Amino acid sequence: VVSPVLLHVDVDEFVAAVEVLRRPELRGRPVVVGGRGEPRARGVVATANYEARRFGVHSGLPLRTAVRRCPEAVFLPFDRDAYEAASEKVMEVLKGFTDALEVWGWDEAFLEASGNVETVARDIQRTVSRTTGLSCSIGIGDNKLRAKTASSFAKPAGIYRLSAREWFGVMGDRRTEELWGIGKKSARRLGELGIEKVHELAEADEEVLERHFGPQTGPRLGALARGEDSSRVNPAPRRAKSRSFEITFEENVEDPTTVGAEVLRLARSLAAHAASSNRLVSAVTVKVRFAPFVTRSRSMRLKSPSDDVKAITAAAAGALGRFELDRPVRLVGVKGDLE
DNA sequence: TCTGGGGTCCTAGGACCC
DNA sequence: TCTGGGGTCCTAGGACCC
C-alpha cells in the first residue's frame, strides 16, 4: 500500500494577479483590490499584490488605512465575475492532472497525485502559468492539512513538502495561531490554558481541551496540532447550503424605513437567486449590524420551502420586525437556508 | 486599524416529547 | 409538588476561512 500524496495548489495573490493580467501596465506597481475601488469609502482590502504588501497592506485592512500606508497604490474595485472566470480556467487546467480534484474556493484546490510528485507539481505550475498567466504555489503532504500548511511555505511560486516526519520540526515551535483553523480568539483561549506553541497543543490533555472547547472542537484542536487529518479529497461539486446578500451603508442609517427598503431589496435578490438556481429557501435570516459594530440576527422559517418572492420577502419583513431599530445601522443582510 | 462580502461548522440554551 | 434523563429541533451567536 502506497500512502497517498496530496497536493494543495494555491494561486499567488489571486485577485490582484487577475487584475494585473488585464492591465499589464500595472505590473510592478502596488495594486490593492477591494470594495468599490474607492479608498476613501467604507470597505476592506480583498487582496493586495506583493508590491503593496511591502507597505503593510494586507487582506482585511480597511481601505482608508491602506491608502494611508501606500498612497501611490492603484485601488481597484472587486470584480467577482472576473475572478470566477479566471478561477474556472485554473480549475480546468488542474482537472487535467487528476481524477480527484477538490476545489476549495476560487484560488485553491487539493488533488491526489502519484509518481514523482515534485515533477508533477512543477508541471502544474508551468501549465497554469502558460494557459492562464497566473503563478501558483504548491504544497505537498501526506494529508490535506499538511499539504495546505506546506503551500503557505511555498509562496510565492514555490513548492514545499511537509509530511508526518517533518511536521514537528517545522511547526512545533510556532504559535498555535499559525495552524489552519485556529484564529486569534482560539489562540488567546489556548494561551489562557498555558498553551502557546503547536507542540504544547499537541501534547495537551484531551479532556482539558474538550472541557474548554466542546466535544467536537476540543479533540480536533489536538489533532490539528499533530498534523492529523483523515479527510479525503472530495471531488463532488459542492452544493451550497445557504446564500446571503448583505450591504454596508456608506453612512450609518438611522431611518428604519431606509433599512426596511434595503432588506426588501436583498430579499428579492435572494428570491431571484433561488428561482434561477432551482433551489428552495427554507428559512430567512436578517442580519443587522448596529453602530459601532454590534451584530444581531433574527430568523424566520417559511411554512414550507419556497422560491416565491412574496413568501421570502414576507419572512424577511417578519424577521426584521423583531428588531428594535432604535440605533444607527451600518449593515443589513439577508440569508436564505437552501434546501 | 474604525473594521466587506460570502460562506461553513460548532456550541449553548430552550422547547418539546417520551 | 419542587421534580429524571434522553433525544431532537430550532434559534442566536461565535469562530474561522477565502
Side-chain angles (χ1 to χ4, degrees), chain A residues 188-303:
Chain A
R188 181 185 202 102
R189 286 175 65 193
L190 286 167
E192 286 163 8
L193 300 174
I195 298 168
E196 306 279 353
K197 301 286 181 66
V198 170
H199 76 86
E200 291 167 345
L201 179 55
E203 296 151 8
D205 184 351
E206 197 95 322
E207 275 182 35
V208 172
L209 294 177
E210 214 171 311
R211 195 159 55 243
H212 284 86
F213 291 92
Q216 301 287 327
T217 308
R220 215 197 59 221
L221 294 178
L224 209 55
R226 293 185 290 274
E228 295 166 4
D229 177 9
S230 58
S231 67
R232 301 283 309 275
V233 171
N234 177 10
R238 293 174 79 87
R239 188 176 159 85
K241 295 176 175 166
S242 67
R243 182 75 170 91
S244 64
F245 297 85
E246 61 183 57
I247 173 110
T248 294
F249 295 117
E250 200 45 56
E251 281 175 8
N252 296 344
V253 170
E254 310 237 16
D255 172 23
T257 312
T258 309
V259 174
E262 195 57 33
V263 165
L264 217 61
R265 193 182 66 80
L266 297 170
R268 280 195 288 264
S269 299
L270 173 60
H273 169 80
S276 71
S277 59
N278 247 320
R279 302 290 301 266
L280 298 178
V281 173
S282 58
V284 174
T285 302
V286 171
K287 172 160 115 180
V288 177
R289 178 123 70 209
F290 296 99
F293 207 75
V294 185
T295 309
R296 294 283 176 265
S297 65
R298 294 288 177 269
S299 59
M300 183 163 274
R301 303 191 70 74
L302 274 64
K303 277 197 281 299

Side-chain angles (χ1 to χ4, degrees), chain A residues 36-223:
Chain A
R36 297 184 289 112
E38 173 47 64
R40 300 279 162 205
R42 277 184 170 169
V44 299
V45 176
T47 306
N49 67 356
Y50 290 114
E51 287 82 352
R53 289 181 203 185
R54 288 214 317 268
F55 293 85
V57 177
H58 54 80
S59 299
L61 191 75
L63 291 174
R64 288 168 182 169
T65 312
V67 71
R68 233 176 290 138
R69 292 192 185 175
C70 187
E72 64 266 53
V74 176
F75 287 82
L76 298 171
F78 191 80
D79 181 355
R80 183 172 301 275
D81 293 344
Y83 316 135
E84 266 165 19
S87 174
E88 270 176 41
K89 277 171 84 177
V90 172
M91 298 306 162
E92 273 313 306
V93 171
L94 298 183
K95 271 180 200 149
F97 284 87
T98 182
D99 295 328
L101 179 78
E102 181 172 346
V103 177
W104 196 266
W106 285 339
D107 60 339
E108 296 182 28
F110 291 98
L111 53 105
E112 284 179 4
S114 53
N116 185 332
V117 287
E118 262 94 359
T119 305
V120 174
R122 272 192 295 278
D123 198 7
I124 289 173
Q125 288 178 320
R126 268 196 303 272
T127 313
V128 168
S129 170
R130 177 160 34 79
T131 57
T132 71
L134 296 165
S135 125
C136 62
S137 302
I138 299 185
I140 303 171
D142 50 359
N143 64 28
K144 282 162 71 176
L145 171 60
R146 286 196 270 257
K148 165 82 182 170
T149 306
S151 70
S152 64
F153 299 123
K155 290 193 160 293
I159 295 169
Y160 192 94
R161 188 166 189 150
L162 182 57
S163 299
R165 201 177 312 131
E166 299 94 41
W167 178 260
F168 283 109
V170 174
M171 297 299 293
D173 270 335
R174 293 177 186 269
R175 305 179 53 78
T176 56
E177 207 181 321
E178 294 188 51
L179 291 165
W180 181 39
I182 296 189
K184 274 202 162 45
K185 299 294 171 83
S186 301
R188 181 185 202 102
R189 286 175 65 193
L190 286 167
E192 286 163 8
L193 300 174
I195 298 168
E196 306 279 353
K197 301 286 181 66
V198 170
H199 76 86
E200 291 167 345
L201 179 55
E203 296 151 8
D205 184 351
E206 197 95 322
E207 275 182 35
V208 172
L209 294 177
E210 214 171 311
R211 195 159 55 243
H212 284 86
F213 291 92
Q216 301 287 327
T217 308
R220 215 197 59 221
L221 294 178

